[in-house]
């Protein structure tokens, strides 16, 4: 498998990307990286994720989101898992993560089991990537092979966590730019951002501006949508700070099933997050509108693209950790 390091130069909305083949490096990602050192790793993670998702189906969305937030900052290197210390400013308190990103205890739980079987072998970055794949499958989503061999970063970046991650109220052009910066296409963006929201919950503070903003416009004053809007406004009061952490499903039709229902939601103009609905209704969304319609009509095409895009995102590498990274014994702290 060819691995690429992608460097993008961002200028307005034109973002040329230059790819460099790094498949000849000492630490390439391969499907059989742990074949001799920890052959049970995939089975162990799968079995534990089965228990975790059975305990609460929302855990699937939590792990997928945690993987996404890891890969968009320094690459998929486990940096998002690091706790803040006197010498390290972590990513957990960055604005897109604080009070909303979860799943750290889930990764701790799986890591402890892996360490008991294969001490010092499986990186936290790989563990998170495999867990995200298994989480998807366990709620009805597609399967894909997960290349492994990542190393854990010894650093984190609060600054990049603040700037690299798309936000719920962000404009479409800005989100596209952030995906291009990571070497991901518009097709990847619509599959990953919207697709991942077919499961999971959103906090009131992340959809307040939407339901007290253009929700009625995008739904064309549909009476059925008006009933849904009234329910959302009961959950999320208009006053800022009131009910900020109240939650509701991003896909109100099949909230615990990974399917293409969320794309139908956008066609009706009922997208909960402004950033999602913009994929279909933004004046800049000529390409994204076509992709949303395609995934709404063809669930197989959505599943195929989501699988490809998850592998592509998982292959965003931290070049520094490839050279001098480590396998953390505890995902929260750099080895001492």
């Amino acid at each position: 498998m060819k691995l690429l390091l992608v460097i993008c130069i961002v200028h307005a909305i034109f973002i040329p990307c230059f790819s460099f083949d790094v498949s000849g490096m000492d630490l390439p990602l391969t499907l059989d990286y742990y074949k001799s050192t920890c052959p049970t790793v995939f089975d162990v993670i799968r079995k534990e994720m089965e228990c975790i998702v059975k305990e609460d189906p929302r855990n699937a969305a939590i792990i997928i989101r945690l993987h996404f937030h890891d890969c968009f900052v320094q690459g998929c290197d486990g940096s998002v898992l690091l706790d803040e210390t006197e010498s390290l400013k972590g990513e957990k308190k960055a604005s897109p993560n604080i009070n909303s990103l979860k799943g750290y205890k889930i990764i701790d739980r799986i890591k402890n089991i892996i360490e008991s079987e294969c001490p010092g072998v499986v990186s936290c970055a790989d563990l998170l990537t495999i867990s995200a794949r298994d989480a998807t499958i366990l709620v009805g989503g597609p399967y894909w092979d997960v290349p492994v061999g990542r190393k854990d970063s010894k650093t984190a970046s609060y600054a990049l966590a603040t700037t690299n991650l798309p936000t719920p109220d962000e404009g479409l052009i800005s989100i596209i730019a952030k995906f291009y910066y990571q070497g991901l296409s518009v097709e990847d963006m619509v599959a990953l951002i919207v697709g991942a929201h077919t499961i999971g919950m959103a906090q009131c503070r992340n959809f307040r501006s939407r339901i007290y903003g253009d929700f009625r416009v995008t739904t064309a004053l549909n009476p059925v949508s008006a009933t849904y809007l009234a329910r959302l406004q009961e959950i999320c009061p208009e006053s800022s700070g009131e009910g900020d952490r109240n939650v509701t499903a991003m896909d109100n039709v099949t909230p615990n099933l990974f399917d293409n229902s969320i794309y139908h939601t956008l066609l009706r103009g009922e997208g909960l997050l402004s950033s999602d609905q913009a994929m279909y209704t933004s004046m800049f969304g000529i390409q994204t509108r076509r992709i949303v319609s395609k995934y709404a009509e063809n669930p197989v095409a959505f599943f195929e693209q989501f699988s490809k895009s998850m592998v592509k995102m998982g292959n965003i590498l931290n070049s520094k950790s490839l050279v001098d990274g480590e396998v953390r014994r505890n995902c929260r702290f750099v080895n001492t």
Side-chain angles (χ1 to χ4, degrees):
M1 176 177 291
K2 178 177 286 189
L3 301 180
L4 300 176
L5 290 181
V6 182
I7 297 176
C8 301
I9 301 173
V10 181
H11 179 68
I13 63 171
F14 302 101
I15 309 172
C17 296
F18 305 92
S19 299
F20 300 89
D21 184 0
V22 296
S23 55
M25 295 183 69
D26 292 338
L27 297 172
L29 304 188
T30 64
L31 298 179
D32 60 353
Y33 184 84
Y34 296 114
K35 184 177 181 179
S36 60
T37 56
C38 193
T40 61
V41 59
F42 285 96
D43 290 335
V44 170
I45 294 175
R46 175 181 53 79
K47 290 176 182 177
E48 197 59 26
M49 282 303 301
E50 285 176 354
C51 296
I52 288 165
V53 174
K54 187 175 181 180
E55 290 167 8
D56 188 344
R58 291 179 297 179
N59 286 332
I62 285 170
I63 291 301
I64 293 169
R65 184 166 181 249
L66 188 60
H67 176 49
F68 181 96
H69 280 231
D70 184 36
C71 292
F72 264 58
V73 180
Q74 298 189 163
C76 309
D77 62 357
S79 60
V80 73
L81 304 173
L82 288 168
D83 280 354
E84 192 162 305
T85 66
E86 290 185 2
S87 59
L88 185 145
K89 189 174 179 64
E91 298 165 18
K92 293 180 179 179
K93 293 183 180 179
S95 54
N97 297 336
I98 191 170
N99 298 324
S100 65
L101 200 62
K102 303 176 182 178
Y104 307 115
K105 290 183 179 179
I106 292 174
I107 298 303
D108 292 342
R109 171 175 164 179
I110 301 174
K111 179 64 170 174
N112 288 337
I113 297 171
I114 294 293
E115 283 296 301
S116 68
E117 294 215 2
C118 313
V121 174
V122 180
S123 69
C124 299
D126 276 346
L127 189 162
L128 178 54
T129 307
I130 298 167
S131 297
R133 188 275 309 275
D134 291 346
T136 304
I137 297 170
L138 289 166
V139 287
Y143 171 91
W144 62 89
D145 289 323
V146 179
V148 288
R150 298 165 189 80
K151 294 299 181 185
D152 294 323
S153 172
K154 297 177 183 177
T155 63
S157 178
Y158 177 93
L160 291 180
T162 303
T163 59
N164 281 18
L165 292 161
T167 62
D169 292 326
E170 196 161 356
L172 182 60
I173 296 301
S174 178
I175 297 174
I176 290 173
K178 287 183 177 181
F179 269 74
Y180 271 125
Y181 180 77
Q182 302 292 348
L184 299 171
S185 68
V186 171
E187 187 105 19
D188 295 320
M189 178 188 72
V190 178
L192 292 173
I193 284 192
V194 181
H197 291 166
T198 189
I199 53 174
M201 313 290 279
Q203 294 184 347
C204 165
R205 59 184 169 187
N206 290 327
F207 61 85
R208 176 181 283 119
S209 62
R210 165 82 172 126
I211 63 173
Y212 292 100
D214 66 348
F215 193 96
R216 287 187 176 88
V217 175
T218 59
T219 57
L221 303 178
N222 184 324
V224 176
S225 299
T227 301
Y228 175 44
L229 175 59
R231 190 163 72 249
L232 291 174
Q233 291 181 340
E234 288 179 3
I235 295 169
C236 184
E238 187 171 8
S239 300
S240 179
E242 190 176 343
D244 276 0
R245 296 194 186 182
N246 292 349
V247 298
T248 192
M250 287 182 279
D251 177 357
N252 67 315
V253 179
T254 55
N256 293 323
L257 179 64
F258 193 100
D259 59 14
N260 69 332
S261 174
I262 189 74
Y263 295 101
H264 291 276
T265 299
L266 301 189
L267 297 186
R268 296 192 300 271
E270 293 181 355
L272 184 65
L273 302 182
S274 294
S275 53
D276 284 354
Q277 189 59 51
M279 305 276 179
Y280 188 70
T281 53
S282 170
M283 62 181 295
F284 302 109
I286 297 173
Q287 184 180 3
T288 56
R289 190 176 306 119
R290 176 184 58 78
I291 298 170
V292 168
S293 297
K294 179 176 72 172
Y295 293 162
E297 295 168 5
N298 190 341
V300 174
F302 163 50
F303 271 32
E304 288 178 347
Q305 186 58 52
F306 188 84
S307 299
K308 292 177 184 176
S309 297
M310 284 294 282
V311 172
K312 192 173 177 182
M313 184 178 73
N315 285 350
I316 301 173
L317 304 176
N318 180 336
S319 57
K320 185 175 181 181
S321 69
L322 280 176
V323 177
D324 65 358
E326 63 182 9
V327 174
R328 289 187 217 132
R329 293 185 292 273
N330 181 327
C331 293
R332 294 174 180 264
F333 302 103
V334 175
N335 294 339
T336 55

